[in-house]
Amino acid sequence: MSSFIEIINQDKLVLVDFFAEWCGPCKMMSPILKEVKDALGTSVSIIKIDVDKNQTLASKYQVRGVPTLMLFKNGQPLWRQSGVLQKNELIALLKSHQ
């Protein structure tokens, strides 16, 4: 939990993927997130949080469905959405918050 707080308090964008191992759509997000990371490089951090292993964190952020993506900067949530997003949608979203 403390390392999560440190990560989202960075002065750069942090995209958090709340996922579960058993979730089909979550498996579809993994390669998309890798492509986004490859496209944007160090301008954004992308971390994955397994809701089954981190139930306290999922509860704190009221994650009810997976995948849920949340965007933070300086510890503040800027955006959130559940479901699968495409690479171009995510890149446009992240660039709009830089």
Side-chain angles (χ1 to χ4, degrees):
M1 181 76 155
S2 60
S3 60
F4 177 80
I5 301 299
E6 289 171 24
I7 292 169
I8 67 168
N9 275 315
Q10 294 181 72
D11 187 31
K12 70 176 182 176
L13 294 175
V14 180
L15 182 64
V16 181
D17 174 23
F18 289 95
F19 77 102
E21 293 292 337
W22 46 263
C23 163
C26 299
K27 289 179 172 62
M28 292 168 45
M29 277 307 303
S30 284
I32 294 169
L33 291 173
K34 182 177 181 343
E35 290 177 18
V36 169
K37 181 65 178 166
D38 291 346
L40 297 178
T42 59
S43 65
V44 64
S45 291
I46 299 176
I47 62 171
K48 295 173 69 66
I49 302 291
D50 185 328
V51 295
D52 292 328
K53 294 178 183 167
N54 299 281
Q55 292 178 353
T56 306
L57 206 51
S59 177
K60 177 180 179 183
Y61 290 100
Q62 300 175 344
V63 175
R64 303 278 182 256
V66 285
T68 293
L69 299 172
M70 291 185 72
L71 184 62
F72 292 89
K73 186 172 185 178
N74 297 317
Q76 298 300 310
L78 303 175
W79 170 88
R80 124 186 232 147
Q81 183 169 324
S82 295
V84 175
L85 273 84
Q86 296 307 311
K87 174 182 142 188
N88 294 342
E89 293 175 287
L90 270 173
I91 289 174
L93 170 89
L94 292 165
K95 285 184 175 179
S96 75
H97 282 92
Q98 284 182 324

